[in-house]
Amino acid sequence: MKGRKLFLFLSIILIFFIFIPVELWGDQSKRKVIYIAATSDEHGHLFDYDFITGNEIQGGLIRVSSWVKDFKKKKPDLILLSAGDIIQGTPLTTLHNSKFLQEPDPMILAMNYIGYQAAALGNHDIEQGIPVVKEVIKQANFPILAANAVHENKTKKPFYKPYKVIKVEGIKIVILGMITPGIPQWLNKKVYAGIKFESIPESTEYWLRKMKKKEKPDIIVGLFHSGYGKKELKESDSSIPIENAAIITAEKNPGLDIIISGHIHKPVESALVNKVLITQPGAYAINVTLIKIELERKNKDWVIVSKTSKLISMKDYPSDKILFKKVKKYYNETKQYSETPIAEIKVDINSYYSYFKDNPITDLIHKVQLDVTGADISAAAIFNPNLEIETGEITIADIAGIYKYENFLYVRKMTGKMIKDYIEYSATFFNGTEKFEDGVISKKLKGYNYDTFEGIIYEIDLSKPEGERVIKLLESKTGNPLDPEGTYNVAMNNYRSNGGGGHLKAANALDSPIISRSNKPIRNLIIEYLQENKVVSHTPTNNWKLVQEKEVLLIVEKKLHKIKTMR
């Protein structure tokens, strides 16, 4: 009988420890639990609606708002953060950024309502220009942080606020913001005049010492607009700061407790590096990362005894109706703007095989770049290899789908040899024929870094070694071979012209003269071109080809069939 009572007693104790939350155990004055939630790379995704495709999106701040309200019913002290790239990326932000002084920013309006407490500055935020960022900071009820963005001529003096202190139930949390330092490779210096971007690991080390001495925090959170990754190929030069520095920063700075990273759009639920917890929400407010930190009082200090993170999908959360009412004006304006017809096309077109053969959508970008600048050659990437445009009217939304970035148009004077080396570098996007069994596309370049060219006729032989793949290279106008010593004006976007992707460095062309810069984004130039010309050609110029095109397309089609079958 006594044995049964003892068993019953022990069972009750066991159930207590399994089902009662850790924060309710024992003396509450000696135990605390802090919750931090974060999104990243929202890129103008306020609504759960895609203004380009007309489809529902299983995310957006409007759903995050519902989740936050639901979570705060249980945990009202939730800390809410963003890892940056907020005000660029959709027709909503394109429309608003053109009149930023005339009305409140819709993304900031929503984030103020939801209750964000800090955000990191992203490269696509600063891409809008210092005046836009200044206005956004003025409107936000929370600080926008970038400790490693310093005044160019004043050592270590931050251009923007470096960190924020938040107190919850007597616990002091410091949020340290960082921005990816790769910006000088991508943007014209005029855009960020007066700012120097320092290395994230070294800047973190500096600010950790400073904050620990001044603030004496219990928890230190790195809020990084920089990704979970190692050095990339283009960063092998030690003079170039590391673009995606979350891992190396954790390795060098164990004094950090948590890093919330962004920039690369890839969700990472949880990783522990050198005892630093790293989590990455991914893009477009499709996920929220939720961090739980448990602390225990030891002598006079609060000590972290546990820290975990998980990703929470927004797909099952509804749109916040109250928030929608507050921003409905922006929704209606953006929808009307996006659906404005500007031209027509007489045949369905798509960009499905644009990496592997010439394509009318890529050729439209080339046509505009050559038409606007009068350049000899155009270089451009396809940003969406899954784009479809149906017969009939072409709208502004279609153009936003073709060209989603706020890039400007540059022209550089380059030699024929530089151009050939540029094409060779771009051709490293492909595996050689000996590696086709691993797939056609290599991992050396991302899709947005694979450029095609117009104004020249060229062929790429993937059976040749890298650097020797361009076997034919002629001037389109004359049919003559491209002169290695001759000079040509080459149109490209500002990201590429400033060294983004590593193409110009590979071609030894970073010092080549810049002939002109546009004062309008390339997307706007495409819209204006179509408004004037009215009709889009559905026939590519076919000025370039892969020698192994048939074999490549067969491999790609087999892979697509396999994916469809698996689904």
Side-chain angles (χ1 to χ4, degrees):
M1 189 69 181
K2 287 183 179 179
R4 288 184 181 180
K5 286 182 178 180
L6 179 61
F7 176 77
L8 182 60
F9 174 75
L10 291 174
S11 298
I12 292 169
I13 294 297
L14 181 62
I15 290 169
F16 176 87
F17 280 103
I18 292 173
F19 292 104
I20 301 301
V22 67
E23 55 264 42
L24 297 182
W25 298 0
D27 184 352
Q28 287 307 289
S29 65
K30 292 185 177 181
R31 229 174 240 284
K32 301 283 185 183
V33 179
I34 303 295
Y35 289 93
I36 300 173
T39 55
S40 182
D41 297 271
E42 296 85 0
H43 283 290
H45 285 77
L46 167 52
F47 302 102
D48 53 357
Y49 176 80
D50 189 328
F51 292 102
I52 295 173
T53 65
N55 296 329
E56 179 186 358
I57 298 171
Q58 293 186 335
L61 292 180
I62 205 137
R63 293 196 183 193
V64 172
S65 183
S66 293
W67 178 84
V68 169
K69 284 181 178 179
D70 185 57
F71 191 85
K72 281 190 171 182
K73 290 175 185 175
K74 300 169 284 185
K75 305 292 177 184
D77 290 327
L78 173 73
I79 296 170
L80 185 59
L81 310 171
S82 166
D85 267 6
I86 298 164
I87 59 169
Q88 177 275 340
T90 64
L92 170 74
T93 51
T94 299
L95 180 59
H96 174 76
N97 289 341
S98 65
K99 50 180 181 177
F100 71 96
L101 287 175
Q102 300 170 27
E103 61 186 13
D105 185 283
M107 293 294 288
I108 300 303
L109 195 68
M111 292 172 79
N112 284 343
Y113 172 81
I114 297 167
Y116 277 79
Q117 287 156 277
L121 182 66
N123 56 292
H124 284 292
D125 298 323
I126 206 165
E127 182 181 54
Q128 308 313 307
I130 290 175
V132 176
V133 174
K134 185 177 179 181
E135 182 62 24
V136 163
I137 289 171
K138 189 162 70 174
Q139 292 177 20
N141 294 341
F142 51 90
I144 295 176
L145 310 173
N148 65 321
V150 301
H151 285 269
E152 195 169 29
N153 299 319
K154 297 178 182 177
T155 306
K156 298 295 180 185
K157 184 179 180 181
F159 200 92
Y160 298 104
K161 188 169 182 176
Y163 66 87
K164 179 180 181 178
V165 177
I166 299 173
K167 292 182 180 178
V168 177
E169 293 186 9
I171 304 296
K172 184 183 274 192
I173 305 109
V174 171
I175 312 296
L176 175 66
M178 295 281 169
I179 183 171
T180 179
I183 289 169
Q185 299 177 72
W186 313 323
L187 301 178
N188 185 335
K189 193 168 183 178
K190 291 180 180 179
V191 176
Y192 58 91
I195 303 176
K196 178 186 175 183
F197 300 95
E198 297 188 327
S199 160
I200 291 176
E202 283 71 25
S203 185
T204 299
E205 184 179 359
Y206 170 82
W207 283 102
L208 279 176
R209 287 198 305 269
K210 202 172 180 69
M211 293 185 307
K212 284 182 176 181
K213 184 178 180 180
K214 182 180 179 181
E215 307 295 349
K216 296 179 174 53
D218 301 301
I219 301 170
I220 302 176
V221 178
L223 186 61
F224 292 179
H225 191 76
S226 179
Y228 179 83
K230 292 282 190 180
K231 270 196 171 189
E232 298 182 4
L233 292 173
K234 66 185 179 187
E235 296 168 332
S236 57
D237 183 346
S238 61
S239 66
I240 299 173
I242 301 168
E243 178 182 348
N244 294 307
I247 291 175
I248 193 167
T249 303
E251 289 172 344
K252 292 187 173 185
N253 293 281
L256 276 172
D257 296 307
I258 294 156
I259 293 175
I260 300 166
S261 55
H263 183 54
I264 60 174
H265 294 197
K266 179 182 176 182
V268 176
E269 186 164 58
S270 179
L272 200 61
V273 177
N274 199 20
K275 297 184 180 179
V276 180
L277 176 66
I278 304 177
T279 182
Q280 192 163 273
Y284 313 141
I286 289 171
N287 299 307
V288 169
T289 191
L290 179 64
I291 303 162
K292 181 180 180 181
I293 308 161
E294 299 175 29
L295 302 99
E296 199 171 84
R297 191 80 165 175
K298 293 186 179 178
N299 298 322
K300 294 182 179 181
D301 298 322
W302 286 103
V303 178
I304 295 173
V305 294
S306 172
K307 50 188 177 183
T308 57
S309 58
K310 62 179 179 179
L311 294 175
I312 299 172
S313 171
M314 295 296 101
K315 68 178 181 179
D316 295 324
Y317 286 87
S319 170
D320 183 331
K321 292 179 181 178
I322 298 173
L323 176 56
F324 183 78
K325 284 181 182 178
K326 291 179 178 293
V327 293
K328 186 177 180 181
K329 165 184 173 289
Y330 296 96
Y331 177 89
N332 291 338
E333 286 178 354
T334 307
K335 198 165 187 296
Q336 182 180 5
Y337 167 75
S338 300
E339 293 173 356
T340 303
I342 55 174
E344 66 174 346
I345 190 163
K346 296 179 180 178
V347 177
D348 292 354
I349 58 174
N350 63 64
S351 60
Y352 296 157
Y353 298 102
S354 53
Y355 292 150
F356 315 110
K357 62 179 183 178
D358 203 3
N359 182 278
I361 294 176
T362 320
D363 278 355
L364 172 63
I365 300 171
H366 287 309
K367 175 66 177 169
V368 172
Q369 293 190 167
L370 292 172
D371 186 80
V372 168
T373 63
D376 304 303
I377 297 167
S378 168
I382 190 77
F383 297 130
N384 185 352
N386 300 305
L387 191 66
E388 294 180 357
I389 300 177
E390 296 179 350
T391 303
E393 291 180 335
I394 290 182
T395 65
I396 287 175
D398 292 320
I399 306 309
I402 292 172
Y403 214 102
K404 64 181 181 177
Y405 297 113
E406 309 288 332
N407 291 334
F408 287 75
L409 183 56
Y410 280 40
V411 176
R412 279 186 178 266
K413 186 176 286 293
M414 298 172 65
T415 66
K417 183 181 185 308
M418 289 175 179
I419 294 162
K420 198 261 186 185
D421 290 344
Y422 185 165
I423 302 169
E424 290 283 8
Y425 182 82
S426 193
T428 63
F429 178 72
F430 301 105
N431 276 326
T433 51
E434 75 282 1
K435 292 185 178 179
F436 274 5
E437 61 184 26
D438 299 327
V440 171
I441 297 174
S442 73
K443 295 181 179 179
K444 294 186 177 180
L445 292 179
K446 295 172 183 176
Y448 60 79
N449 278 329
Y450 170 60
D451 284 358
T452 64
F453 303 80
E454 191 62 74
I456 50 178
I457 299 165
Y458 64 101
E459 291 185 10
I460 295 171
D461 186 347
L462 299 179
S463 69
K464 303 284 187 183
E466 289 182 2
E468 301 175 19
R469 290 177 170 180
V470 179
I471 61 169
K472 181 180 182 180
L473 186 54
L474 309 174
E475 299 173 357
S476 293
K477 289 180 181 177
T478 66
N480 296 327
L482 201 72
D483 181 0
E485 304 301 322
T487 57
Y488 303 84
N489 288 345
V490 184
M492 64 189 76
N493 66 42
N494 63 288
Y495 173 80
R496 194 68 76 236
S497 178
N498 286 305
H503 303 66
L504 294 196
K505 183 180 178 183
N508 291 312
L510 280 172
D511 294 327
S512 61
I514 297 174
I515 304 303
S516 66
R517 302 178 177 94
S518 70
N519 59 4
K520 297 177 183 177
I522 293 172
R523 185 196 304 112
N524 292 34
L525 298 175
I526 296 171
I527 290 169
E528 290 176 4
Y529 174 86
L530 290 178
Q531 285 173 330
E532 183 178 340
N533 291 275
K534 298 300 181 187
V535 177
V536 175
S537 172
H538 59 270
T539 306
T541 60
N542 294 317
N543 66 301
W544 70 273
K545 67 175 291 187
L546 300 176
V547 172
Q548 292 81 13
E549 181 183 297
K550 289 183 180 179
E551 184 182 354
V552 165
L553 291 176
L554 188 62
I555 293 169
V556 171
E557 285 167 1
K558 281 182 178 178
K559 186 174 182 179
L560 288 174
H561 176 74
K562 185 177 180 181
I563 291 170
K564 288 176 183 177
T565 304
M566 288 171 67
R567 285 177 180 169

